[in-house]
Amino acid sequence: MKKITLALLLLVSILSQAQENYPQDAFRSPLDIPIILAGTFGELRSNHFHSGIDIKTQQRQGLPVFAIGDGTVTRIKVSLWGYGKVLYVAHPNGYTSVYGHLQKFSPKIEEYIKRIQYQKKSYEVEVFPDYGELKVNKEELIAYSGNTGGSSGPHLHFEIRSSISEKPTNPLLYGIDVADATNPTLEKLFIYPLSQAAVVNQSQEKIQVNFSKQPDGSFLADKVEATGKIGVGFIGFDRQDMAANRNGVYSVSLSVNGKVYTEYDFESFSFGETRYINTLIDYDHLGKYRQRIQKCFKSPGNNLGIYNEIYNKGEIAIREGLSYTIELLIKDLKGNQVKLIVPVEGKQSQVKIKKQQKKTPYYVVANKPNNFDLTAAKVYFPTNTFYEDFYLDLEKGEDTVKIHTNTVPAHRNFTITFDTAKYTKEEQKQLFIARLDSKLRPSYLNTYKRGNTFTARTRNLGTYTLAKDTIAPKIKTKNFKEKQWLNNYKYLSVSISDDLSGVDSYSATLNGEWILMEYEPKKKTLTYNFDDKILGKKQCVLKVTVTDNVGNQNTLTTPFYRK
Ligand SMILES: [Zn+2]
């Protein structure tokens, strides 16, 4: 009986530790170039973990992208933001591969999607082809790499998801090789006093601790004196071979006197939990210094499922008179690692740096709805907008409301309402709610107008204002001039822009018929491909209409000739 229990326990522990068996030979690489990464899976991004790998494409667009295995296209999306042009291919082994920021699709898929774009008269479309309707073979060219959507340089965003759960998994677990003989880099170490009475090196605030390299290659931190519950945080990154990119690390393990307190890795996560990244990182530090500290302890509201091990929430109770050895071990997927030892002595000491807490009349209780009425401006936080209670810094100016600073993470949307009764109906048309950045530049927020009440929803604390946009968008021809002969032209391009509220929509016709113009907001450019349609006419007229977010509109009508 005892033997069976032991064997069972052993089996359970092996199963819980072992990675899922990912197929190693089923897939090929999506590109025909050596895989060099500009981003790793699970990498810390703004409000999310990176759900794939970013493969560098030699600073250019148009590299052929191949299906990694036999499958069928289950989703095609063309969007101005996010993944840009993206393709989803479901494979018979239960995984779906995703290819993002594409320049264009293969001719077969391009034809399929263009038909829908012309049907819907929209560049942005999303379709879910029937299973088997668009089959692809392993090795088949399915697209060309690009820079569309929220991409800031040419690369291929590549994911492998479970087809059923849609959980993204680390694509490098499927046998795709990335040369990496470089250890992760540990940049900064922080120790946090966590309990009320905790003190670290005479401070009630987190402190940075220096460390130095030891002869054996590991790192040793300066000795820390502490009492109460403390936690560890670090800034680190991983570099692969052949590139200087500071990518995310794969796994983090923290142990105290040999016992593992925290262990997590980026084998997979779910989209539902990705925003909880704001509890894993020190959000206050990010807001102030634009650096991401990963915490090795679980803060309130942390619902992440990435932990393989978490003991006492990763909090370390330090008792007076005792010594502790904290070991932090950071690894990349290839097992290259960096090890840091932090010696801690339990010692009561005088507090020199007191906890900084600014008290305001606006205390937010996280698990209750909070409503603040500042006459002419209202702020409403639904229950559980925040992870923790805190003193909200709230100030009202002329048509402006400062709702704290972006140093506290909001998990859910909250509502900002302005009373616009003092404005005429005409003025109200051109007003919108804008977020002001640190340089006081306004950016448009989707503004709902109902009578004299303007409302916007956001998940970012910060300063908001009523702004006015009286100027219509600008439209200019880019690669041609009015009345020009354009016989050998492959494309027509037009630049569009709007200085304040931004471009909301556009449409274009050629000789009175709707045409597809692809919009690239980063380049402020609309492009028409002459292959789309036979003109059958010498004298042509291109008409482009652009509307901004408050409804100001402009139209450009340009005649040209083509044989
Ligand atoms: Zn990416």
Side-chain angles (χ1 to χ4, degrees), residues 38-40 43 45 48 50-55 83 100-101 150-151 155-159:
T40 49
E43 195 164 279
R45 301 275 174 95
H48 70 283
H50 189 227
S51 52
I53 50 174
D54 286 343
I55 307 174
Y83 290 69
H101 307 309
S151 166
H155 74 276
L156 176 70
H157 172 90
F158 175 68
E159 291 182 15

Side-chain angles (χ1 to χ4, degrees), residues 370-374 377-383 385-386 392 394 401 403 410 412-418 433 445-448 453-461 464:
N370 295 265
N371 202 3
F372 300 104
D373 191 341
L374 303 169
K378 292 188 182 77
V379 186
Y380 173 68
F381 302 110
T383 305
T385 299
F386 300 104
L392 180 77
L394 199 59
V401 58
I403 313 167
R412 304 177 57 186
N413 276 305
F414 59 91
T415 310
I416 306 160
T417 305
F418 283 98
I433 300 177
L445 243 71
N446 223 336
T447 306
Y448 302 92
T453 305
F454 285 21
T455 303
R457 281 151 57 84
T458 177
R459 291 199 276 196
N460 288 315
L461 293 175
Y464 293 86

Side-chain angles (χ1 to χ4, degrees), residues 68-107:
I68 60 164
D70 292 347
T72 174
V73 176
T74 49
R75 185 179 176 192
I76 312 167
K77 190 174 179 183
V78 177
S79 167
L80 297 175
W81 323 108
Y83 290 69
K85 293 185 188 179
V86 58
L87 205 55
Y88 296 72
V89 177
H91 306 284
N93 60 1
Y95 295 98
T96 292
S97 52
V98 183
Y99 314 78
H101 307 309
L102 301 168
Q103 181 190 50
K104 59 181 179 186
F105 304 107
S106 69

Side-chain angles (χ1 to χ4, degrees), residues 254-293:
L254 182 90
S255 57
V256 182
N257 295 342
K259 179 174 174 55
V260 176
Y261 271 48
T262 311
E263 194 196 292
Y264 62 88
D265 62 38
F266 291 106
E267 179 187 339
S268 80
F269 61 86
S270 70
F271 287 107
E273 66 180 335
T274 196
R275 196 176 176 89
Y276 288 107
I277 187 177
N278 291 337
T279 63
L280 178 74
I281 61 166
D282 182 334
Y283 197 84
D284 178 76
H285 194 88
L286 174 67
K288 286 172 179 152
Y289 308 106
R290 304 315 305 163
Q291 291 175 329
R292 290 186 173 90
I293 300 175

Side-chain angles (χ1 to χ4, degrees), residues 172-411:
L172 299 184
L173 293 168
Y174 297 80
I176 295 169
D177 194 48
V178 176
D180 186 359
T182 316
N183 288 335
T185 301
L186 182 65
E187 244 186 337
K188 286 176 185 171
L189 171 72
F190 298 89
I191 308 291
Y192 290 76
L194 296 176
S195 53
Q196 271 304 325
V199 179
V200 178
N201 287 1
Q202 304 188 308
S203 171
Q204 291 179 328
E205 287 286 323
K206 76 163 181 275
I207 52 146
Q208 192 182 336
V209 176
N210 293 324
F211 50 86
S212 54
K213 198 168 192 170
Q214 302 301 293
D216 70 352
S218 70
F219 290 84
L220 179 66
D222 296 349
K223 191 196 232 172
V224 173
E225 291 181 355
T227 47
K229 278 184 187 162
I230 65 168
V232 173
F234 71 92
I235 297 175
F237 59 89
D238 186 45
R239 265 197 52 212
Q240 280 88 42
D241 300 352
M242 324 280 288
N245 297 74
R246 295 161 57 111
N247 297 333
V249 303
Y250 180 68
S251 72
V252 176
S253 163
L254 182 90
S255 57
V256 182
N257 295 342
K259 179 174 174 55
V260 176
Y261 271 48
T262 311
E263 194 196 292
Y264 62 88
D265 62 38
F266 291 106
E267 179 187 339
S268 80
F269 61 86
S270 70
F271 287 107
E273 66 180 335
T274 196
R275 196 176 176 89
Y276 288 107
I277 187 177
N278 291 337
T279 63
L280 178 74
I281 61 166
D282 182 334
Y283 197 84
D284 178 76
H285 194 88
L286 174 67
K288 286 172 179 152
Y289 308 106
R290 304 315 305 163
Q291 291 175 329
R292 290 186 173 90
I293 300 175
Q294 300 191 45
K295 296 186 283 193
C296 302
F297 52 95
K298 257 186 149 177
S299 293
N302 178 332
N303 275 339
L304 289 168
I306 56 173
Y307 296 96
N308 302 319
E309 199 81 61
I310 188 91
Y311 171 74
N312 270 351
K313 293 188 283 182
E315 297 177 349
I316 307 156
I318 304 295
R319 295 218 191 114
E320 222 182 320
L322 295 181
S323 300
Y324 302 81
T325 301
I326 301 176
E327 187 187 297
L328 176 63
L329 192 64
I330 303 166
K331 289 186 188 173
D332 63 21
L333 197 90
K334 281 272 169 97
N336 303 304
Q337 61 179 58
V338 56
K339 187 165 105 178
L340 168 78
I341 301 290
V342 190
V344 179
E345 201 187 317
K347 196 174 172 186
Q348 196 75 251
S349 58
Q350 210 193 333
V351 176
K352 284 201 175 150
I353 301 164
K354 284 229 162 73
K355 192 163 195 72
Q356 293 163 25
Q357 193 182 46
K358 188 184 169 192
K359 287 193 178 168
T360 72
Y362 311 104
Y363 191 66
V364 172
V365 180
N367 65 7
K368 282 189 180 153
N370 295 265
N371 202 3
F372 300 104
D373 191 341
L374 303 169
T375 57
K378 292 188 182 77
V379 186
Y380 173 68
F381 302 110
T383 305
N384 294 326
T385 299
F386 300 104
Y387 304 113
E388 286 182 82
D389 304 349
F390 70 106
Y391 287 101
L392 180 77
D393 193 2
L394 199 59
E395 277 171 48
K396 165 97 180 60
E398 175 83 8
D399 284 342
T400 298
V401 58
K402 181 192 171 193
I403 313 167
H404 214 81
T405 53
N406 197 7
T407 50
V408 176
H411 197 79

